[in-house]
Amino acid sequence: MSSAPEQAAVADEPLAPPAAVRPGSPTPLGARYRTGPDGVAGTNFALWAGGAEAVEICLFDDDGHETRHPLTELTHEIWHGFLPGVRPGQRYGYRVHGRWDPWAGARWNPAKLLLDPYARAVDGDFDGGPGAAGPRPALPAELYGHVRDWPQQEIADTVRDDRDSAPYVPKGVVVGDDTCDGPGDDEWRDDRRPKTPWPDSVLYELHVRGFTMRHPGIPGHLRGTYAGLAHPAALEHLTRLGVTAVELLPVHQFAHEDHLVRRGLRNYWGYNSIGYFAPHAAYAATGTRGQQVGEFKRMVRALHDAGIEVILDVVYNHTAEAGELGPTLSLRGIDNRGYYRLQDDARRYADYTGCGNTLHVVQPHVLRLITDSLRYWVTEMGVDGFRFDLAAALARSMHDVDMLSPFLAVIAQDPVLRRVKLIAEPWDVGSGGYQVGAFPPLWTEWNDRYRDTVRDFWRGAQPDVRDLGYRLSGSSDLYAWGGRRPYASVNFITAHDGFTLRDLVTYEHKRNADNGEGNRDGTHDNRAWNCGAEGESDDPGINALRRRQLRNLLTTLLLSTGVPMLVAGDEMGRTQHGNNNAYCQDNPISWLDWSLLDDPRWRGLAELTARLIGLRRAHPVLRRRAFFSGRPRERGGLRDLAWFSAEGTEMAERDWYAPGATLGMYLSGNDISQRDAQGSRIVDDSFLAVLHAAEHPRSVTLPGPPWAQTYELLVDTGDEGPPPADTRYKAGTTLTVPGRSVLLFRAESG
């Protein structure tokens, strides 16, 4: 064992007599306030720490004074004990003893106070300390289990740091089941949730802090918080748009990376989790001694009352402890070998995430941690589903991605989790990690093939329209297997990472200098077109074209079969000024600028978005539950899906391969294969969408009978506003379609 000889050992703290700790129970894991068998109230502490030699539960008073209690009971590698008199609001952490042998993957260090993986609330942050008056120039060196600044960095992770980390780390908080000032369990019954069916869903990805920080209708003290998102002013925008679910960027407790703190930045997105049960404390307006739990529950209830589901973006693939040179905050110090995937050289971590470590989901206790967390957020916090960051990393068995992996198998049979919305980001950064279209039934997926195809079509980079046809109609080439449905495809054009929609038509090259990494971070493959000038322009023609392209992209997204996902602010022209990796920009670069809605041009874009969502909601033919067959439902009927050339004739095989940028898509409302709840046939209007991505206007002929007798124009993205009411054309009419535009018609037979 190596240790730094010049460092002081941890100061002795008062040690309570062992008799003060009663045996308690190994279940449930975490800190649970309850009444003991003799009627005395207290808290049961239980921690899985396989391989550890001893565990101490450490309690902290308001002055930071620490009292340690040894947990002497050990059941199936779970250390546990019951402490009478410990009540909700009590701050605590663990010290775990064991051998220091990094070459074998053993990194126990009792000098480091560890956050309980099951802590339901967290108080404090990882960059504070005695006398700290704000962010430090670096994370404290005491946070590291090894000597971070050891002169020989190649072996630094093998030299143990014996300094006490307790003054510099946040503490877990005991949370009482009945003291959260939030909804009771009955609030989360199925009959009280929105329960929007997948085909009817419209997702809206937002950041709790960024969505509310600049909203003029939200009181200042609530901005950036769960309470701010629950405020009527925030809800009003969501309901006016018509979205059915918010997909919240990570709200698990997370930490800020050292390299960001050194540059005066913070982790904004939150993909650096360290507490899988705790709502991120910095987003709480009411307090961090358990109050954040009740505040989060009230936010969920407010969204549910508005008919909006809550989906969490969750990061179970890695933690904030990074690689072997990262800090020791929780799992590494509890049982490094048990929680993380290690290489053959056990000093090193298997990194399928690009973040330094990967959770070892094959291990039963790790799988239990994840599924316990998921069930907690559903049953006790009220959420309606999850989007899994780098889900392919969770689906790996020993090395390869395996769709029969323990994680996917457990989810499929879990009576709680199999009933909620499950969205995979179907890739990771490891070999074989790209798995779009491969996840099993129950799962939907972020479809980046959709994103790339639609971007390429509207920037004029597609040689033909073959791929576009698949993407518009639900990506059957990816998902029509194993009982999957069109709603397995979550269609998106932008997401939190990458350009905003406005930046996609304003910049071709990223501008990430503010991130402090020499513009090396963020993708180079933006598939963007700046409409003739790089960056913001004073040219009225360029700006008009850019707004038209935004209308084209949003219209395409909301007319496509599958589940559309919007990113907060795209409907009002939000810009990050070309930054395509704003993960560390907790400032107006990332926050929504609500003043955009005062500009008629951007307000008109939001109105178009709401109109398209309303059209989608009103017409089942636009949100199909089954893939198109391309055949009539009955003799004499029309095909449920037909494709047309600009000449008004059905596409022949050769037309799909011919160079072109115009495509007509006909959706028959008389030939929907599904039935309603009473078993009756569903009949809807029929629609014709004409997508024309070429620069110059094009003559387009409207298909004649039997497809329609007349066509009513509903959307024309060539104009800033909606078309005049009752604008109709006879079948067979030849129209001039403006360059780069979408026309949507209702097809009328009478």
Side-chain angles (χ1 to χ4, degrees):
M1 178 179 75
S2 297
S3 181
E6 74 279 8
Q7 296 180 36
V10 181
D12 290 335
E13 297 286 353
L15 196 64
V21 182
R22 301 178 184 178
S25 171
T27 59
L29 291 169
R32 302 304 290 262
Y33 178 70
R34 62 179 177 82
T35 301
D38 55 359
V40 175
T43 298
N44 191 83
F45 294 93
L47 177 73
W48 185 92
E53 297 172 0
V55 172
E56 295 170 300
I57 180 69
C58 306
L59 306 181
F60 292 84
D61 64 19
D62 291 342
D63 295 325
H65 185 267
E66 176 182 357
T67 303
R68 300 186 202 167
H69 302 264
L71 298 181
T72 58
E73 300 295 323
L74 180 61
T75 305
H76 303 309
E77 299 186 310
I78 296 172
W79 300 79
H80 55 92
F82 179 82
L83 270 70
V86 173
R87 298 184 175 276
Q90 173 65 57
R91 299 187 305 153
Y92 72 98
Y94 288 105
R95 296 186 187 273
V96 182
H97 299 253
R99 64 194 181 95
W100 176 263
D101 188 0
W103 298 269
R107 294 181 178 272
W108 284 286
N109 185 346
K112 307 306 167 182
L113 187 77
L114 306 174
L115 187 65
D116 180 3
Y118 279 74
R120 295 192 290 169
V122 174
D123 179 59
D125 208 339
F126 287 102
D127 60 4
R136 301 165 63 98
L139 290 180
E142 289 85 351
L143 294 181
Y144 294 75
H146 65 279
V147 181
R148 183 190 64 187
D149 303 318
W150 192 254
Q152 297 170 282
Q153 279 293 292
E154 67 276 10
I155 63 167
D157 69 289
T158 69
V159 183
R160 195 178 74 179
D161 187 318
D162 290 327
R163 290 174 292 183
D164 186 10
S165 70
Y168 306 95
V169 298
K171 314 301 188 291
V173 178
V174 175
V175 175
D177 293 334
D178 58 350
T179 58
C180 299
D181 190 26
D185 289 344
D186 63 330
E187 290 282 347
W188 312 134
R189 293 195 328 236
D190 280 354
D191 60 348
R192 297 193 179 185
R193 296 173 182 262
K195 292 188 68 179
T196 306
W198 261 125
D200 303 341
S201 297
V202 178
L203 310 183
Y204 189 76
E205 187 192 52
L206 68 81
H207 190 287
V208 168
R209 180 169 167 82
F211 187 77
T212 59
M213 274 299 291
R214 303 175 72 185
H215 197 301
I218 298 175
H221 69 285
L222 298 182
R223 294 178 186 175
T225 70
Y226 306 118
L229 184 54
H231 191 273
L235 298 175
E236 190 274 335
H237 182 76
L238 298 173
T239 55
R240 186 173 66 246
L241 271 183
V243 298
T244 68
V246 291
E247 184 176 306
L248 304 182
L249 266 68
V251 295
H252 288 164
Q253 187 72 31
F254 63 85
H256 305 286
E257 297 91 327
D258 183 69
H259 68 90
L260 293 179
V261 176
R262 289 174 184 268
R263 296 200 297 269
L265 299 170
R266 311 274 281 181
N267 188 311
Y268 171 67
W269 287 349
Y271 291 90
N272 205 38
S273 299
I274 197 61
Y276 290 133
F277 290 77
H280 189 59
Y283 299 160
T286 51
T288 60
R289 298 287 284 269
Q291 297 94 333
Q292 61 264 56
V293 179
E295 185 176 332
F296 186 93
K297 288 183 176 184
R298 291 190 295 276
M299 177 197 73
V300 173
R301 179 168 54 186
L303 287 160
H304 283 180
D305 288 345
I308 297 170
E309 294 184 303
V310 178
I311 297 172
L312 302 188
D313 195 335
V314 289
V315 189
Y316 295 110
N317 56 79
H318 75 279
T319 76
E321 293 184 302
E324 62 271 13
L325 295 177
T328 295
L329 310 176
S330 180
L331 303 183
R332 173 177 285 134
I334 295 170
D335 186 353
N336 185 57
R337 295 177 300 188
Y339 280 106
Y340 292 116
R341 289 179 181 267
L342 304 180
Q343 298 182 23
D344 292 339
D345 174 3
R347 273 180 64 193
R348 316 296 183 192
Y349 293 80
D351 184 8
Y352 297 112
T353 67
C355 299
N357 65 55
T358 307
L359 278 181
H360 202 348
V361 180
V362 175
Q363 295 277 20
H365 50 275
V366 179
L367 188 57
R368 177 182 178 183
L369 170 67
I370 294 172
T371 54
D372 282 354
S373 168
L374 292 169
R375 280 188 294 268
Y376 172 77
W377 286 96
V378 174
T379 61
E380 298 194 41
M381 302 295 274
V383 307
D384 305 287
F386 305 93
R387 179 264 186 190
F388 292 82
D389 181 65
L390 299 181
L394 298 172
R396 290 182 181 271
S397 290
M398 294 311 296
H399 298 288
D400 296 333
V401 178
D402 179 5
M403 292 304 159
L404 298 176
S405 66
F407 173 74
L408 294 179
V410 166
I411 295 292
Q413 61 78 44
D414 189 282
V416 172
L417 301 179
R418 69 189 181 199
R419 299 170 62 186
V420 302
K421 286 182 165 66
L422 303 171
I423 307 170
E425 184 182 36
W427 52 78
D428 64 23
V429 303
S431 175
Y434 186 76
Q435 296 289 325
V436 172
F439 275 71
L442 292 184
W443 288 82
T444 64
E445 301 175 16
W446 272 24
N447 186 353
D448 68 332
R449 290 275 300 276
Y450 179 94
R451 175 199 64 197
D452 293 349
T453 297
V454 172
R455 288 188 180 192
D456 282 348
F457 177 75
W458 285 112
R459 70 187 179 106
Q462 277 192 299
D464 52 52
V465 293
R466 284 176 295 162
D467 206 36
L468 182 66
Y470 275 119
R471 304 308 144 229
L472 293 174
S473 58
S475 295
S476 60
D477 57 330
L478 299 176
Y479 301 111
W481 64 271
R484 303 190 81 184
R485 298 297 185 94
Y487 47 82
S489 176
V490 174
N491 299 330
F492 68 104
I493 297 170
T494 60
H496 60 275
D497 54 341
F499 282 148
T500 68
L501 201 66
R502 178 174 168 181
D503 288 355
L504 191 67
V505 300
T506 306
Y507 301 89
E508 293 181 8
H509 307 287
K510 62 185 181 180
R511 299 189 177 189
N512 297 354
D514 288 340
N515 297 352
E517 299 178 40
N519 208 38
R520 295 183 300 274
D521 63 304
T523 182
H524 297 281
D525 183 18
N526 295 296
R527 299 176 186 251
W529 179 52
N530 62 22
C531 297
E534 183 70 3
E536 296 294 334
S537 173
D538 295 327
D539 187 316
I542 288 176
N543 288 330
L545 175 58
R546 288 172 174 173
R547 292 194 300 275
R548 188 189 317 157
Q549 286 287 79
L550 294 181
R551 296 192 292 272
N552 291 335
L553 291 163
L554 284 169
T555 302
T556 303
L557 175 65
L558 291 167
L559 293 181
S560 297
T561 299
V563 178
M565 185 186 79
L566 300 163
V567 176
D570 276 353
E571 76 279 8
M572 64 178 79
R574 184 176 77 88
T575 177
Q576 292 177 173
H577 307 292
N579 192 322
N580 75 351
N581 189 36
Y583 78 104
C584 56
Q585 298 299 324
D586 187 3
N587 54 52
I589 290 176
S590 298
W591 303 340
L592 267 66
D593 180 2
W594 292 92
S595 70
L596 290 167
L597 291 176
D598 297 330
D599 186 327
R601 296 167 300 178
W602 300 120
R603 186 169 63 249
L605 187 67
E607 291 169 352
L608 172 64
T609 305
R611 190 154 56 92
L612 288 165
I613 293 175
L615 193 69
R616 185 181 184 92
R617 181 173 57 249
H619 292 285
V621 73
L622 298 177
R623 41 186 175 81
R624 290 178 58 94
R625 286 166 161 76
F627 285 106
F628 295 98
S629 68
R631 298 186 300 273
R633 182 179 179 273
E634 55 190 24
R635 184 184 297 273
L638 301 176
R639 282 184 292 283
D640 55 4
L641 172 67
W643 302 99
F644 288 90
S645 68
E647 289 73 28
T649 58
E650 288 192 71
M651 298 272 286
E653 182 71 16
R654 64 180 180 276
D655 295 325
W656 290 103
Y657 294 85
T662 307
L663 182 65
M665 178 178 66
Y666 184 96
L667 306 175
S668 174
N670 290 316
D671 296 86
I672 300 174
S673 59
Q674 67 211 51
R675 297 184 295 170
D676 63 19
Q678 287 72 42
S680 302
R681 176 186 171 195
I682 294 177
V683 178
D684 192 15
D685 294 333
S686 298
F687 294 90
L688 173 69
V690 178
L691 296 88
H692 175 55
E695 175 184 2
H696 300 292
R698 170 85 197 249
S699 295
V700 171
T701 301
L702 300 177
W707 303 102
Q709 296 292 334
T710 59
Y711 291 89
E712 179 188 6
L713 182 63
L714 302 178
V715 175
D716 177 359
T717 64
D719 290 331
E720 295 272 4
D726 296 324
T727 301
R728 286 180 165 80
Y729 302 92
K730 290 183 178 180
T733 299
T734 298
L735 304 175
T736 299
V737 178
R740 299 191 177 95
S741 61
V742 179
L743 301 182
L744 177 67
F745 301 91
R746 190 196 322 268
E748 301 172 332
S749 298

